[in-house]
Amino acid sequence: MTLSHPRVIPVRKGHVRPTGSWLYVWIDVNTGAVAYVGGTGFDPELRAHLHLASEDPQLGRVRASVPQYDDRDFDVLAFELPEGIDRRAAKRALIARLSAVDGEADDLRDVTDPIIQSLNTHRTTGR
């Protein structure tokens, strides 16, 4: 984003309309383990914040499901999905790949392979 080209955030009839599609992976900094995989149409930083701050378990899923989340350090890697990719299907495929489960992951390897590669690089280099 540049100052001459603002990011437009559409708000229509009292609701923010998502303008992107993201998958994100919470990695435990100390162990390299994947703690959580999510998908969102909103800014991934906002979504990460809600995972920790919201007492509603549907919004604060990390808070509700990751043991000792508040005593651990995480890096959240966010990946913008190409237009036309179904976010839910991509999330299922990524989880299947991370779990070494065959099946529906095969259809979206062009999406999941670069994510898996980035995760592995981050685990070994911290970047």
Side-chain angles (χ1 to χ4, degrees), residues 18-98:
T19 57
S21 189
W22 299 82
L23 291 183
Y24 53 91
V25 181
W26 289 63
I27 298 175
D28 185 296
V29 171
N30 294 317
T31 67
V34 172
Y36 186 82
V37 176
T40 188
F42 292 100
D43 187 290
E45 287 179 341
L46 169 63
R47 192 63 194 98
H49 169 75
L50 291 172
H51 271 291
L52 300 173
S54 180
E55 293 183 18
D56 178 340
Q58 290 303 310
L59 293 176
R61 290 184 185 125
V62 168
R63 180 181 179 144
S65 66
V66 176
Q68 300 172 326
Y69 75 93
D70 52 347
D71 290 328
R72 298 165 65 187
D73 294 327
F74 301 97
D75 284 341
V76 180
L77 280 61
F79 303 91
E80 189 168 20
L81 294 174
E83 198 169 311
I85 298 295
D86 180 272
R87 185 172 54 247
R88 288 185 180 115
K91 178 182 170 184
R92 284 191 305 269
L94 179 58
I95 290 170
R97 290 284 310 280
L98 290 169

